[in-house]
Amino acid sequence: MTYDDFAGRPRTGWDMHCHTVFSDGTETPEELIRQAKAMQLLGVAITDHDTTSGWVPARRAAQSLGLPLLRGTEITAEFDRTSVHMLAYQYDPNSPHIARMFARTRDGRVRRAKIMVERLSEDFPITWDDVLDQVKEGSRTTIGRPHIADALVAAGIYATRSEAFQGAVSGGSEYYVPTPSPTALEVVEAIREAGGVSVVAHPADTGRNRVLLSDEQIRALVDEGLDGLEVWHRGNAPEQRLRLLALAQRYGLLTTGGSDWHGKGKPNLLGENVADPETVARIIERGAISPILPPAPEEALSAK
Ligand code: AMP
Ligand code: FE
Ligand code: FE
Ligand code: ZN
């Protein structure tokens, strides 16, 4: 028995964390649904960064291919200088607070990416147009460092996106500029106002932050209405998973899982981490919008 089995990692279920061409994934929502169906996942959630642009194509594909779908977003935030990603599921996309927040963050992302490219262009042959060439859905795509990384790959500076993330686009590089972000407390509040379910994404990913969210910070998010923690994610080390499970137990939080799939942009494999169907049923109960459940919901929501 592995450490993971001991901690109760679900084997089959829903991949609750997937990116597409509407942010920094390389594949379309249709391709996400096709692959998830082919590998017999119970369902998936689309969670592009700071947008709902992929929701309509994802719904169409889920309906036509017959795969259950939740609609969500991975929201950029910060908590006392620690970068935090919040997953929001099943919320009303027309809720003014959350919609305004996304618009602001996407504008900030563009401004920040342009400054990074300006700095990079002093040492590398890349322009803003080269970055835009890597953006698949125009202004409907949330721009991020991955698009800059892809431009550096196209220019022959790096062999892969991941290599660029080890180099010039890394968080520690001289070219790095942070994205202006709302606080995690504001994000939890906005998700609650929109009737959604809030989950801290990869809360213990030391690859993203040297200083992780503390127990006290997580407690503060719980007081604001936080619903869950993404325990099953490759970025959370085994001993951190046990810490997160204990916190979830203490505060009555949902424990979810997802691959953080970015298609060919990252090594993460679709379905490598999942949430169990009972947890997904809780999320659906709490959420403001209907899940897409074709054609047999009872199959998707009960354990095999
Ligand atoms: P940004 O949000 O613009 O600061 O860029 C960070 C994002 O890059 C995170 O969402 C990562 O998941 C994403 N990303 C995509 N591909 C990679 C990769 N190959 N290595 C590291 N991060 C990546
Ligand atoms: Fe990403
Ligand atoms: Fe993330
Ligand atoms: Zn993600």
Side-chain angles (χ1 to χ4, degrees), residues 1-11 232 241:
M1 192 161 87
T2 68
Y3 208 33
D4 259 9
D5 292 328
F6 168 73
R9 183 169 73 93
R11 295 279 152 185
W232 315 112
R241 295 178 186 195

Side-chain angles (χ1 to χ4, degrees), residues 17 19 23-26 49-50 74 76 83 85 109 112-113 116 142-150 160-166 169 176-179 202 205 208 233 260-262 264-268:
H17 190 159
H19 296 269
S23 63
D24 52 5
T26 61
H49 296 280
D50 306 303
E74 185 173 24
T76 307
S83 157
H85 282 176
R109 279 176 163 281
R112 162 274 195 154
M116 281 189 70
T142 302
I143 289 191
R145 279 184 287 158
H147 303 102
I148 303 176
D150 291 351
T160 65
R161 183 191 274 191
S162 295
E163 218 179 81
F165 265 91
Q166 304 293 310
V169 308
Y176 178 75
V177 178
T179 298
H202 42 67
D205 190 345
R208 300 190 64 251
H233 183 286
D260 212 348
W261 184 69
H262 285 69
K264 300 179 192 75
K266 251 185 155 178
N268 307 30

